[in-house]
Amino acid sequence: QTVVTQEPSFSVSPGGTVTLTCGLTSGSVSTTHYPSWYQQTPGQTPRTLIYDTNTRSSGVPDRFSGSILGNKAALTITGAQADDESDYYCVLYMGSGFSVFGGGTKLTVL
Amino acid sequence: EVQLLESGGGLVQPGGSLRLSCAASGFTFRSYAMSWVRQAPGKGLEWVSKISGSGDSTYYADSVKGRFTISRDSSKNKVYMQMNSLRAEDTAVYYCAKNGGVYFDYWGQGTLVTVSS
């Protein structure tokens, strides 16, 4: 069974740049997986950041960007701010109506 | 403004049943697929099920297949999740989400389901 992988945790300094990745235990991530990214702070509803690999959702600042890097999807945060400290989840579309979440990355800004 | 409001969560014994509802507004309901996503306490998000805009097609995660049934009523702009044979591991906050293509573009606030004796 293919699993979607993410770094369990990451840290970034305020003002710094961080790239979170989303991979597969078997195979490569491509645009045909329509990678999407979601931000969730504890106790809050998820917020949609990026969809279709690199399209920002309405109201999302342009310091959030999505891409394919090598064989993984990637979420890059440029100029990290304190309120970017959250959990970040990727989702890959596996075809035939099925989507799979990654395990999430806990981002610390310090 | 898109709004999704879940209801129906609560405490249920193992083996019991529960039906969740999601009331949708602010968009052309029958034009969009809808999904349920859950989050166990302290854990990550898990896609559970999806129903097409017409209601003709349904999809389930392996973890709930055969026990959960998703449905929708376009006359009421509601999506439902009938959950049977509930297990302790089904304990989670259940979110209703609107599909914008194959991703989730709007989320409800969630409803907590606790399976415990």
Side-chain angles (χ1 to χ4, degrees):
Chain A
Q1 180 181 352
T2 299
V3 174
V4 178
T5 62
Q6 295 184 249
E7 300 87 357
S9 62
F10 229 116
S11 63
V12 61
S13 300
T17 296
V18 63
T19 297
L20 311 182
T21 68
C22 176
L24 289 168
T25 54
S26 177
S28 299
V29 177
S30 72
T31 56
T32 62
H33 290 101
Y34 302 95
S36 55
W37 292 88
Y38 305 85
Q39 178 191 48
Q40 187 185 36
T41 52
Q44 299 297 312
T45 295
R47 172 195 184 195
T48 305
L49 295 176
I50 301 285
Y51 62 93
D52 293 351
T53 304
N54 56 14
T55 303
R56 271 185 298 277
S57 190
S58 178
V60 174
D62 60 6
R63 54 198 184 78
F64 291 90
S65 62
S67 64
I68 299 290
L69 287 181
N71 62 351
K72 295 182 179 182
L75 172 70
T76 300
I77 307 172
T78 305
Q81 300 179 0
D83 59 5
D84 293 336
E85 187 161 292
S86 299
D87 296 324
Y88 291 85
Y89 296 91
C90 70
V91 171
L92 300 180
Y93 179 65
M94 307 305 281
S96 301
F98 294 86
S99 296
V100 180
F101 279 86
T105 297
K106 182 178 181 62
L107 180 67
T108 301
V109 181
L110 52 76
Chain B
E1 178 192 6
V2 172
Q3 291 190 331
L4 301 171
L5 183 62
E6 303 94 336
S7 60
L11 175 63
V12 61
Q13 292 187 340
S17 298
L18 212 55
R19 189 176 86 150
L20 306 182
S21 299
C22 170
S25 61
F27 62 100
T28 305
F29 182 70
R30 68 184 66 208
S31 294
Y32 293 93
M34 299 291 293
S35 291
W36 289 95
V37 174
R38 69 183 180 183
Q39 187 169 37
K43 302 296 184 182
L45 298 166
E46 178 189 16
W47 172 78
V48 173
S49 182
K50 173 182 172 180
I51 186 167
S52 63
S54 65
D56 291 344
S57 299
T58 57
Y59 312 89
Y60 300 93
D62 287 344
S63 57
V64 305
K65 192 177 296 182
R67 300 187 299 123
F68 289 13
T69 303
I70 191 171
S71 61
R72 64 192 295 159
D73 184 339
S74 292
S75 69
K76 297 181 179 179
N77 281 12
K78 285 189 172 182
V79 183
Y80 304 98
M81 177 65 78
Q82 177 67 43
M83 304 187 295
N84 298 331
S85 302
L86 283 162
R87 307 166 180 167
E89 54 264 37
D90 295 319
T91 294
V93 173
Y94 285 74
Y95 295 101
C96 172
K98 172 182 171 290
N99 282 89
V102 300
Y103 68 102
F104 314 106
D105 57 357
Y106 291 93
W107 299 74
Q109 290 300 307
T111 187
L112 176 62
V113 172
T114 302
V115 184
S116 175
S117 54

